[in-house]
Amino acid sequence: MKKKIKKTKYKNKTKILLKFIKKHDVTIALTIWFASMWSWVLFTDTLDLAGDKKQGFILAIIILAINVALSVFIMKKMIKLAIHIFAKYSYVTVLIILLPLFAFADFLVAWVPAILWIGPEGRLDRILPLSTTGLIAVNLPFVYASRIIGFFGLSGFIWLLVFLLWNKKLRKYFVFTAIFFVSLSIIGWAIWRVPEGSVINAATVSETLNERVPAINNNNVQLVVFPEYGLDKIDNNNLSERITIDKENKTFFLGSLQLFPQNKVGHLNRLIYGNTEDGITFKQDKYRLIPGGEDLPYLLRIGLRATNQKSTLDYFSYAKGTLKGTDQLKPLRISNDTIVGAAVCSSIISPEDYRYFAQNGATIFTNSASLTIFKGSPLFARQQKSFAKFMAVSNSRYFLQSANSARAYVLDNNGKTLAEASGHTVLTRQVQNNTKKTLYTTIGEVLVWAGALICLVFAVQKLKKWKDS
């Protein structure tokens, strides 16, 4: 008898649980997705903030929870609007409307948390697209559609396909939508698959902050990409520690160094560019900073002050705080044929920075990174490389990644990995310049703007109805 009662209770609890899951399936699915994509924040060296792991872990959980809650709220609102639109319009009209709407929603998921976590050195145009579905699309054959519809256009398509699969009444439209998506990708691949430009030999470095590779032989190499901080304590007097000075073979180099200005708290992360004949010829301070890694958000500052954690604030300001540069990054000219779009670390999550490079003549992309803060997180490493692949494919440019404590790699303009390695390695490969500009390079994230306009129209209509009632 007791066994029957227990069995009945178990069945009742199971029914209640299944009923709850069915009722909140969208919220649960979205929460799992966004929490998974942001989970790496629980494993960064921010947990060691001021030497207090417990405090750092609590901060990481708060950041994770707020980011996930905001993202779920935005996407649920957009899904609710999508259901309303499907009930009101024909399929073709719906497809035209929903694609930009989902692209705009994914942009908001990237932009709103970035604004929320802005600090003294932050920028209003910064985004954190680390939970976007575009990171899935980038690793699928759909990626070539990005040359037409951009990063959030890719995301919009994935959300639309998932939305169609989720709704039983709409699944019949899934195949047509997927075929349309594939067609866009085929068009993007066919038009821009072959680059137009000369070939150069380039070397990209993988090393650690404390153990550098030996001085690089510049024989028959036109460009060397060092990691972030790879040129620390290097000037024209000791440049030979990093690259051999053979003036018969002029080689260009770039990387960054850490600089501590007088009368200021924090340091500058300065991009360094030059060649073996003239030495260092150009310097530019890092334009974008990592929230929590280089720039402590106002919300966390308020929380730390409220809990009397002045020592933590001081530790961050002196040990990690970075001062942002004042000017947008500019492409660097090596020759008439070769113009390098070079960024340091965090610009990798800002597609607009690399689109700006391509718009302004860059024929090759590079990124100098130091990923020690992420402690070798496989998830973040995957996300980081997915961004690089997007930059390469969407703008049809070769991409060279140099890194401290992470993998260095070389991607061609179609996103294929030509070389990849970690540890202490120098990857030397032929890379091809490209002067072609894709549609995305020219017009940008047009679907995001279209989605914002459509949202505005629906908001005005709703406001008008509310006033009339």
Side-chain angles (χ1 to χ4, degrees), residues 4-260:
K4 285 185 178 180
I5 293 172
K6 284 184 178 179
K7 197 172 183 180
T8 303
K9 284 183 178 179
Y10 177 77
K11 283 184 177 179
N12 289 338
K13 287 180 180 180
T14 303
K15 284 181 180 178
I16 293 169
L17 178 61
L18 291 173
K19 189 177 179 181
F20 176 83
I21 292 172
K22 188 175 181 180
K23 185 179 180 181
H24 301 283
D25 58 342
V26 175
T27 302
I28 293 169
L30 289 173
T31 301
I32 291 171
W33 165 256
F34 289 119
S36 299
M37 296 301 281
W38 278 105
S39 61
W40 53 263
V41 304
L42 301 174
F43 305 98
T44 69
D45 74 355
T46 304
L47 301 185
D48 299 323
L49 198 64
D52 190 338
K53 275 198 171 183
K54 184 179 178 181
Q55 178 177 281
F57 191 72
I58 291 170
L59 286 175
I61 290 175
I62 291 170
I63 291 169
L64 176 66
I66 293 175
N67 286 355
V68 171
L70 281 172
S71 302
V72 170
F73 175 80
I74 291 168
M75 289 311 305
K76 280 195 69 178
K77 287 293 182 183
M78 197 57 69
I79 290 170
K80 187 177 179 181
L81 179 58
I83 293 170
H84 167 74
I85 291 169
F86 252 108
K88 195 172 181 181
Y89 299 98
S90 67
Y91 171 69
V92 175
T93 305
V94 165
L95 180 62
I96 293 170
I97 293 174
L98 281 194
L99 179 56
L101 277 180
F102 277 122
F104 179 57
D106 206 70
F107 168 78
L108 289 179
V109 167
W111 183 63
V112 172
I115 296 303
L116 181 70
W117 299 115
I118 200 166
E121 302 297 322
R123 297 187 181 279
L124 292 176
D125 65 340
R126 182 181 65 190
I127 59 172
L128 295 173
L130 296 161
S131 61
T132 174
T133 53
L135 294 177
I136 294 177
V138 163
N139 294 292
L140 297 174
F142 298 140
V143 65
Y144 302 106
S146 66
R147 291 169 171 170
I148 300 170
I149 59 175
F151 186 76
F152 294 106
L154 286 182
S155 299
F157 254 118
I158 296 295
W159 282 117
L160 179 56
L161 291 173
V162 171
F163 175 74
L164 294 175
L165 276 177
W166 166 75
N167 195 314
K168 291 180 181 179
K169 295 179 181 178
L170 306 174
R171 284 176 190 168
K172 58 185 176 181
Y173 301 119
F174 176 85
V175 174
F176 174 79
T177 307
I179 290 172
F180 179 59
F181 195 7
V182 171
S183 300
L184 277 181
S185 189
I186 291 171
I187 292 169
W189 174 80
I191 295 175
W192 291 287
R193 74 183 188 281
V194 180
E196 291 181 353
S198 60
V199 174
I200 67 168
N201 290 326
T204 184
V205 177
S206 171
E207 59 186 13
T208 62
L209 290 169
N210 298 322
E211 191 175 347
R212 293 174 168 177
V213 299
I216 294 170
N217 189 331
N218 75 330
N219 185 32
N220 201 31
V221 174
Q222 286 77 53
L223 174 66
V224 178
V225 185
F226 291 104
E228 185 176 19
Y229 306 124
L231 296 177
D232 265 1
K233 299 179 181 178
I234 297 296
D235 55 29
N236 288 337
N237 295 319
N238 62 353
L239 185 58
S240 59
E241 292 180 12
R242 297 262 61 193
I243 186 169
T244 57
I245 307 300
D246 180 359
K247 295 190 177 181
E248 291 183 7
N249 297 293
K250 188 175 182 179
T251 299
F252 289 81
F253 60 85
L254 56 89
S256 86
L257 58 76
Q258 196 171 198
L259 184 69
F260 292 88

Side-chain angles (χ1 to χ4, degrees), residues 359-403:
Q359 268 191 321
N360 287 273
T363 58
I364 293 171
F365 291 159
T366 72
N367 185 260
S368 298
S370 181
L371 304 181
T372 53
I373 183 176
F374 300 104
K375 292 187 173 180
S377 165
L379 174 60
F380 185 82
R382 184 68 174 173
Q383 290 176 329
Q384 206 256 11
K385 189 176 180 182
S386 295
F387 283 120
K389 186 174 180 180
F390 170 78
M391 310 305 184
V393 173
S394 62
N395 297 284
S396 192
R397 298 290 187 271
Y398 276 63
F399 192 103
L400 287 75
Q401 160 91 4
S402 179

Side-chain angles (χ1 to χ4, degrees), residues 205-415:
V205 177
S206 171
E207 59 186 13
T208 62
L209 290 169
N210 298 322
E211 191 175 347
R212 293 174 168 177
V213 299
I216 294 170
N217 189 331
N218 75 330
N219 185 32
N220 201 31
V221 174
Q222 286 77 53
L223 174 66
V224 178
V225 185
F226 291 104
E228 185 176 19
Y229 306 124
L231 296 177
D232 265 1
K233 299 179 181 178
I234 297 296
D235 55 29
N236 288 337
N237 295 319
N238 62 353
L239 185 58
S240 59
E241 292 180 12
R242 297 262 61 193
I243 186 169
T244 57
I245 307 300
D246 180 359
K247 295 190 177 181
E248 291 183 7
N249 297 293
K250 188 175 182 179
T251 299
F252 289 81
F253 60 85
L254 56 89
S256 86
L257 58 76
Q258 196 171 198
L259 184 69
F260 292 88
Q262 292 182 348
N263 304 320
K264 286 187 178 181
V265 176
H267 66 271
L268 293 167
N269 189 345
R270 182 161 289 176
L271 174 72
I272 299 296
Y273 171 72
N275 61 76
T276 53
E277 188 175 293
D278 305 306
I280 295 169
T281 59
F282 180 79
K283 301 175 183 179
Q284 184 165 306
D285 296 329
K286 189 174 182 180
Y287 185 68
R288 296 192 186 279
L289 307 180
I290 303 168
E294 296 172 315
D295 181 34
L296 197 64
Y298 287 118
L299 275 181
L300 293 185
R301 289 172 182 271
I302 291 169
L304 290 171
R305 286 194 178 99
T307 54
N308 200 29
Q309 299 291 323
K310 186 177 180 300
S311 60
T312 300
L313 279 170
D314 291 342
Y315 169 81
F316 184 91
S317 297
Y318 286 98
K320 296 180 179 289
T322 307
L323 305 170
K324 66 182 177 184
T326 56
D327 300 317
Q328 171 66 275
L329 302 177
K330 299 173 183 177
L332 306 169
R333 182 176 291 276
I334 288 180
S335 66
N336 291 333
D337 297 328
T338 306
I339 302 174
V340 181
V344 176
C345 197
S346 49
S347 281
I348 194 72
I349 64 171
S350 182
E352 281 298 306
D353 284 356
Y354 282 94
R355 188 176 79 86
Y356 174 84
F357 284 147
Q359 268 191 321
N360 287 273
T363 58
I364 293 171
F365 291 159
T366 72
N367 185 260
S368 298
S370 181
L371 304 181
T372 53
I373 183 176
F374 300 104
K375 292 187 173 180
S377 165
L379 174 60
F380 185 82
R382 184 68 174 173
Q383 290 176 329
Q384 206 256 11
K385 189 176 180 182
S386 295
F387 283 120
K389 186 174 180 180
F390 170 78
M391 310 305 184
V393 173
S394 62
N395 297 284
S396 192
R397 298 290 187 271
Y398 276 63
F399 192 103
L400 287 75
Q401 160 91 4
S402 179
N404 277 314
S405 303
R407 301 187 75 81
Y409 46 80
V410 179
L411 307 178
D412 72 7
N413 66 304
N414 292 309

